[in-house]
Amino acid sequence: MYDDIVKYIPYGRENAISRDDLAIKVGCSDRIMRDLISKARKKTVIINIQNGSGYYRPTENDMEDVLKYKHQEENRATEVFGNLQPVREFIRKYGKGKKNAKV
């Protein structure tokens, strides 16, 4: 539907671009831009440290940010999986014999 958005995301922290600016360049809504970035991240490294500086593809000089981003995402994943623990326990307790009640 949209061109490969990666070509709109610059290299280097100093060249970071906001999601709003990306959406304007591509001609889509913010919601669609978030989805496009999420899909693009499955193929390439796109950094967005939570300081609001925007999105960019890292260079060798950005290793500290890459490590921060990795840590940030691992923490997020751990939290999401932790939130599922009560769900698993509920399924174990009440899901026996129910169709599709896998834990």
Side-chain angles (χ1 to χ4, degrees), residues 1-9 17 19-29 32-33 36-37:
M1 181 174 184
Y2 297 99
D3 291 332
D4 185 12
I5 64 146
V6 173
K7 69 182 178 185
Y8 297 101
I9 300 174
I17 185 170
R19 194 171 62 228
D20 287 342
D21 287 343
L22 278 171
I24 290 168
K25 283 185 179 221
V26 174
C28 67
S29 69
I32 290 173
M33 181 51 63
L36 291 171
I37 290 168

Side-chain angles (χ1 to χ4, degrees), residues 8 20 23 30 34-35 40 47 49 54 63 74 77 91 102:
Y8 297 101
D20 287 342
D30 183 65
R34 283 187 295 211
D35 291 343
I47 300 295
I49 302 297
M63 185 56 69
E74 287 172 342
I91 292 169
K102 294 181 181 179

Side-chain angles (χ1 to χ4, degrees), residues 4 38-39 43 48:
D4 185 12
S38 179
K39 289 176 185 171
K43 298 176 188 172
N48 179 31

Side-chain angles (χ1 to χ4, degrees), residues 66-82:
V66 172
L67 293 170
K68 283 181 187 176
Y69 176 76
K70 178 183 176 286
H71 181 70
Q72 167 189 301
E73 293 302 299
E74 287 172 342
N75 285 343
R76 186 175 295 157
T78 299
E79 185 174 335
V80 168
F81 280 110

